[in-house]
Amino acid sequence: MSDTLPSFEDTTDFENADRGFVAALEPAVVKTADGRVVYDNDAYAFLAADCPETAHPSLWRQAQLCSRQGLYEVTEGIYQVRGLDLSNMTVVEGERGIVVIDPLISTETAAAALALYRAHRGDRPVTGLIYTHSHGDHFGGARGVLPAGTEDGVPVLAPAGFLEHAVSENVYAGNAMTRRASYMYGANLPKGPDAQIGAGLGSTTSTGTISLIPPTVDITATGQEETVDGVRIVFQLTPGTEAPAEMNFLFPDHRALCLAENATHNMHNILTLRGAVVRDARIWARYLDEAVDYFHGRYDVAFASHHWPTWGHDNVVEFLTGQRDLYAYLHDQTLRLLNDGLTGPEIAERIELPPALAKSWHARGYYGSLHHNSKAVYQRYLGWFDGNVAHLWEHPPVELARRYVDVAGGPDEVLAKARRYGEEGDPRFAATLLNHLVFAQPENTAAKEALAGVYDRLGHGAENGPWRNFYLTAAQELRHGVGGEMVDMTNPEMAMALSVPMLIDSVAVRIDGPRAWDDDLTVDLVLTDEGTRRRLTLHNGALTHREVAAPRTPAGLTLTLSKTQLLGLLAGEGTESLGIGTEGDPALLTRLLSYVTKPDPLFPIVTP
């Protein structure tokens, strides 16, 4: 991105971030029932000071904005709780109660946000729940606003495909994504001027209990209108933008537009550093353009699932068109350079935003970055391979590192040269050399400390929040080893929200294929509460399944059970204790489950 920063004298964002303030949560510390802290916004009090040398001044400014905390009025009848998690929770007042939009990440933070609202607006019941899209920071706290037993008769609205995409991202690849998210958001870093100061999109993620209440109302088309507790809502479906399933929507009687996470006060990610499906910047721009036209003249304020609102119709149009142009330019210029034969890293070094966008605070790379987003667009079209056959069959990291260290003259020479590169102002190559040395000799304490120092330097200079957190978390783990709190994306609440096919898929991705190569078995599940029969087949190390009405051949084992009993079975309970009916060879179940692995939630990242 251009080195030209917007004007720090422009305080519009600060005025908007403070507008409508009602009250703060004091102290702004959220804990579990047993006293474990899952979110602490008070830890960011240091941001009241001037920017230190250990932070990029632009990111420091963004962190100051994101750390603002409390209950805010958006417009009459619409409130937001901000600063109690990475995302915002929005409350819309209805005839009998309130409609909650995006109940944060954790049940504990969502409950605290709801309590803050009720303390100042009255003890109104939750009469509707809306998920703007399929990312965990927009549904994980659902049980914090609708505890078990209170959801009957309460509509839960979400875009079509929500549950499928929530599962594929948070369950199938959940372990790896959650581990990398600990780097991206820096949740395990200390908070301070030389450590974690924010994540660009918000301050950081909470580490409480994840939940998921399945949707009861699908939004399937733009123009669909629903009324929840007397509140009229008009929807715009925006699949494939910031999330595979996402939607904007208008409250026409409030003249307020919700932009979900499609337009935020920073450049967003085309591919997050934690991992995700690569997003389509072209479609993203088109849906923003559609929003400008479709909702024109029908709102006076726009708010989103992160950051602060924008007031004034013309100001919103200017904001949306700028965001539209940002993603369109990113997409088209990457394709232009790609078609000239440049590779992803080459494009990332060359591409820059036009001056008008570079000087707009909302287009700065606090969360996504022009550098890694252009690589993501390249990946979407051409994949991981850059066409150079030297990269087609390279050694894996450890073997490659050993050879580089040997070529460079041995570990002492690598360490000396890396330090020299760092001293001469090239920390990027110093990191490359030292990373090879650490992977070749993970027990080399001097190499790890030298690399940690380089990562400190790169982190402190980063304008992008996740880059800073990645660098500083890497430095922390190089010095102190792997550890810290991890969000549990496989808890019973999440599992109960999955359909039976999704549950089986979540098992299939954990089958140890090589161990199961030579086994061949079939197990039928007769689901009593669904009235269906599903056949599981383990063959050639792959677990597949399909619904069968009248099987042509008998299964080796048939289990008659409910979904709740299936969950108990997958949790390790026995068929007899669960009261599951069995017909056939029970040993087949034991064999099948013996191949199911449990991933390491704290696998190494910056060491072998």
Side-chain angles (χ1 to χ4, degrees):
M1 179 172 283
S2 169
D3 291 332
T4 303
L5 286 169
S7 172
F8 281 87
E9 295 180 1
D10 179 0
T11 60
T12 304
D13 285 338
F14 288 92
E15 293 162 8
N16 285 343
D18 291 335
R19 180 170 171 173
F21 176 74
V22 177
L25 181 67
E26 298 179 353
V29 179
V30 181
K31 301 179 180 179
T32 59
D34 61 4
R36 180 174 68 87
V37 174
V38 300
Y39 199 83
D40 181 1
N41 193 74
D42 288 344
Y44 293 97
F46 64 87
L47 288 166
D50 292 337
C51 180
E53 292 184 356
T54 53
H56 194 293
S58 180
L59 181 61
W60 186 265
R61 174 190 180 277
Q62 183 78 349
Q64 289 178 320
L65 288 160
C66 290
S67 66
R68 280 158 158 72
Q69 175 269 126
L71 176 68
Y72 296 81
E73 183 183 46
V74 177
T75 190
E76 185 177 357
I78 300 181
Y79 293 80
Q80 283 191 314
V81 179
R82 304 199 285 269
L84 290 184
D85 213 321
L86 182 74
S87 48
N88 302 332
M89 188 171 91
T90 304
V91 176
V92 183
E93 295 175 350
E95 294 176 352
R96 297 179 294 106
I98 54 174
V99 179
V100 172
I101 304 170
D102 289 353
L104 309 181
I105 295 175
S106 305
T107 59
E108 294 86 356
T109 54
L114 182 59
L116 178 62
Y117 166 83
R118 284 174 168 165
H120 297 277
R121 295 296 298 167
D123 190 13
R124 307 170 189 233
V126 175
T127 49
L129 182 59
I130 300 176
Y131 304 136
T132 60
H133 61 290
S134 52
H135 292 153
D137 51 328
H138 304 273
F139 64 76
R143 286 297 180 194
V145 298
L146 276 178
T150 66
E151 71 272 28
D152 289 349
V154 178
V156 180
L157 289 72
F162 167 88
L163 194 57
E164 175 189 349
H165 293 298
V167 169
S168 65
E169 180 160 313
N170 296 290
V171 177
Y172 297 159
N175 191 70
M177 284 190 182
T178 301
R179 174 73 173 109
R180 285 168 54 156
S182 69
Y183 271 62
M184 181 169 171
Y185 298 108
N188 295 318
L189 289 172
K191 309 300 182 284
D194 61 347
Q196 207 269 3
I197 64 173
L201 193 66
S203 292
T204 191
T205 52
S206 63
T207 57
T209 307
I210 304 296
S211 63
L212 174 57
I213 301 174
T216 60
V217 179
D218 286 341
I219 306 304
T220 60
T222 293
Q224 183 172 337
E225 184 169 337
E226 301 288 339
T227 300
V228 181
D229 191 14
V231 177
R232 288 198 304 134
I233 315 169
V234 180
F235 293 91
Q236 178 202 14
L237 211 58
T238 63
T241 51
E242 189 271 338
E246 190 150 358
M247 58 188 183
N248 300 325
F249 42 95
L250 175 75
F251 295 96
D253 298 327
H254 297 77
R255 293 188 60 80
L257 176 62
C258 177
L259 295 169
E261 203 168 321
N262 287 319
T264 53
H265 291 280
N266 53 218
M267 182 189 297
H268 214 294
N269 284 294
I270 304 305
L271 176 57
T272 68
L273 301 186
R274 65 181 169 85
V277 175
V278 181
R279 297 154 190 175
D280 188 342
R282 178 182 62 91
I283 289 297
W284 197 332
R286 288 191 180 180
Y287 278 121
L288 287 173
D289 193 48
E290 180 181 82
V292 170
D293 181 66
Y294 184 69
F295 295 115
H296 186 78
R298 293 193 280 172
Y299 57 82
D300 299 316
V301 61
F303 63 91
S305 303
H306 296 272
H307 300 145
W308 49 95
T310 299
W311 282 271
H313 184 275
D314 291 347
N315 293 331
V316 175
V317 171
E318 182 181 6
F319 171 55
L320 285 175
T321 54
Q323 288 274 297
R324 174 200 66 194
D325 294 347
L326 173 65
Y327 298 114
Y329 184 91
L330 169 65
H331 175 273
D332 295 349
Q333 295 309 304
T334 300
L335 266 290
R336 178 179 65 84
L337 295 170
L338 171 160
N339 281 314
D340 278 343
L342 274 68
T343 64
E346 291 169 335
I347 294 168
E349 291 296 312
R350 181 177 296 190
I351 192 170
E352 59 179 337
L353 289 180
L357 286 177
K359 292 179 181 179
S360 297
W361 286 116
H362 69 79
R364 300 299 296 184
Y366 303 124
Y367 188 54
S369 79
L370 195 60
H371 193 277
H372 74 249
N373 274 343
S374 60
K375 291 180 180 178
V377 175
Y378 182 97
Q379 179 178 325
R380 180 177 180 87
Y381 285 92
L382 294 184
W384 62 269
F385 181 45
D386 63 4
N388 185 334
V389 291
H391 305 145
L392 187 58
W393 193 31
E394 286 185 312
H395 286 289
V398 170
E399 294 304 317
L400 196 63
R402 288 172 178 164
R403 288 160 174 78
Y404 271 118
V405 170
D406 177 59
V407 168
D412 293 341
E413 188 68 18
V414 172
L415 185 57
K417 288 178 177 176
R419 284 173 171 158
R420 189 176 76 242
Y421 275 106
E423 292 166 358
E424 293 176 355
D426 191 356
R428 291 169 66 181
F429 191 63
T432 299
L433 283 179
L434 289 168
N435 179 68
H436 283 314
L437 183 53
V438 167
F439 268 73
Q441 294 188 328
E443 73 288 345
N444 190 325
T445 304
K448 288 196 287 188
E449 178 55 41
L451 182 54
V454 171
Y455 286 156
D456 283 339
R457 182 175 171 185
L458 288 167
H460 292 160
E463 184 183 20
N464 182 273
W467 282 36
R468 178 186 175 97
N469 293 333
F470 253 82
Y471 282 129
L472 298 186
T473 301
Q476 177 175 276
E477 291 194 357
L478 283 166
R479 291 183 174 117
H480 306 295
V482 177
E485 297 285 347
M486 297 291 289
V487 172
D488 181 10
M489 297 300 295
T490 60
N491 62 63
E493 176 70 40
M494 282 289 291
M496 194 63 200
L498 308 187
S499 66
V500 170
M502 290 173 176
L503 280 171
I504 301 170
D505 284 340
S506 72
V507 173
V509 298
R510 292 189 289 133
I511 293 290
D512 186 337
R515 284 186 53 233
W517 279 345
D518 298 324
D519 211 339
D520 186 1
L521 59 85
T522 57
V523 175
D524 277 6
L525 303 180
V526 178
L527 282 304
T528 56
D529 47 352
E530 297 184 1
T532 60
R533 175 188 290 261
R534 186 160 290 274
R535 173 155 294 187
L536 282 60
T537 301
L538 182 66
H539 189 67
N540 288 326
L543 179 64
T544 57
H545 59 97
R546 66 180 183 276
E547 187 174 333
V548 291
R552 292 190 298 273
T553 57
L557 172 66
T558 298
L559 303 176
T560 302
L561 71 176
S562 65
K563 179 182 174 182
T564 301
Q565 289 172 314
L566 175 60
L567 287 169
L569 197 64
L570 296 177
E573 297 182 58
T575 54
E576 289 187 14
S577 64
L578 290 168
I580 295 173
T582 63
E583 179 184 345
D585 184 1
L588 296 184
L589 178 63
T590 304
R591 271 171 36 205
L592 175 60
L593 295 178
S594 73
Y595 300 123
V596 180
T597 61
K598 184 176 182 180
D600 178 6
L602 292 171
F603 58 82
I605 290 178
V606 291
T607 54

